Amino acid sequence: MMRHAGQVLSRDLRSLAAELARLAGWAYFDACQYSTARIYFSQALGLSRGQEDRLFMANVLSCMSLQATYDGNPAEAMALACKAQDVARAVGDQPLVMSMLHMREAFAHATLRDASACHQAIDRSRDSFERARGRTDEAPSWVRYFDETKLIIDTGIALARLGEAPRAEPLIAEGLRREASAQLRGRALHAFWLASTQLEQGKLGDACHSAELALDLSAVIDSPRVAGHIHEFHRRLAPYAREAPVIRFEQRMRDVLG
């Protein structure tokens, strides 16, 4: 009996260590410290592999895929997303998990500028999400954030990464409209993507207005990733430096970021 209790405790401690490593990896990812994030994600993956917790492994692989996309390694991101899908399939029918993982794959394809593969991955994500309707309570708690609003926004972001700004803009705008006001980091990131799609279409005033929302939200969160997006947007404004919306945005940026 005591030996069994010890085994249970050991397993629980390893599971806890794996989750702490994943959370540390996510924190370093948000801080744009990608190499350190990769170390912690790899540690989490190793610990979960020892536990044979396949859904947790899929979760870590999805984190690694997103980080690889941000780190400029889309081919690696695609491979990690597909590996996560294979790991999740081995568990059984997990449509919400698969929907999220297909969207991770779509991000990678978009960064590779593979329009056909990206659209196919988006379609698979949407189809899996439809199968998940009414079954959210069957999904792991860590994937339940991936609701219809997130599906809409991420579809828009994938299209934005692909360069299809006119199709991306209304989706991201609708997702922002639906998104809970308490989700500050998410709203800041999504406001940046909205601004990016608007700027891509020459809608300078709208783009600066959306970027100001991201800027205001960044003032109340500590996210180097969000701040990096804002600076990236600001660099793209250089050709329009004399335009009134840009002058106003730069003044707001000085007020908020110093």
Side-chain angles (χ1 to χ4, degrees), residues 236-249:
R236 291 173 62 189
L237 294 177
Y240 315 101
R242 295 176 180 271
E243 300 290 336
V246 176
I247 294 171
R248 185 168 57 248
F249 173 75

Side-chain angles (χ1 to χ4, degrees), residues 18-19 22-23 26 41 44-45 48 53-66 80 84-85 87-88 97 100-101 104 140-143 145:
E19 175 60 3
R22 188 193 70 83
L23 290 173
W26 193 259
F41 284 143
L45 191 62
S48 62
D53 188 344
R54 291 188 175 275
L55 286 180
F56 183 84
M57 288 169 63
N59 185 16
V60 176
L61 287 165
S62 77
C63 294
M64 296 175 77
S65 174
L66 186 62
L80 287 164
Q85 293 165 27
V87 170
V97 172
M100 184 272 288
L101 294 176
R104 290 283 196 267
S141 58
W142 52 262
V143 80
Y145 80 95

Side-chain angles (χ1 to χ4, degrees), residues 65-108:
S65 174
L66 186 62
Q67 182 228 297
T69 295
Y70 268 83
D71 201 16
N73 296 305
E76 180 185 354
M78 180 183 63
L80 287 164
C82 291
K83 184 176 181 181
Q85 293 165 27
D86 289 341
V87 170
R89 284 192 193 97
V91 177
D93 190 27
Q94 292 287 339
L96 190 59
V97 172
M98 293 304 294
S99 180
M100 184 272 288
L101 294 176
H102 285 308
M103 192 59 72
R104 290 283 196 267
E105 181 188 353
F107 285 174

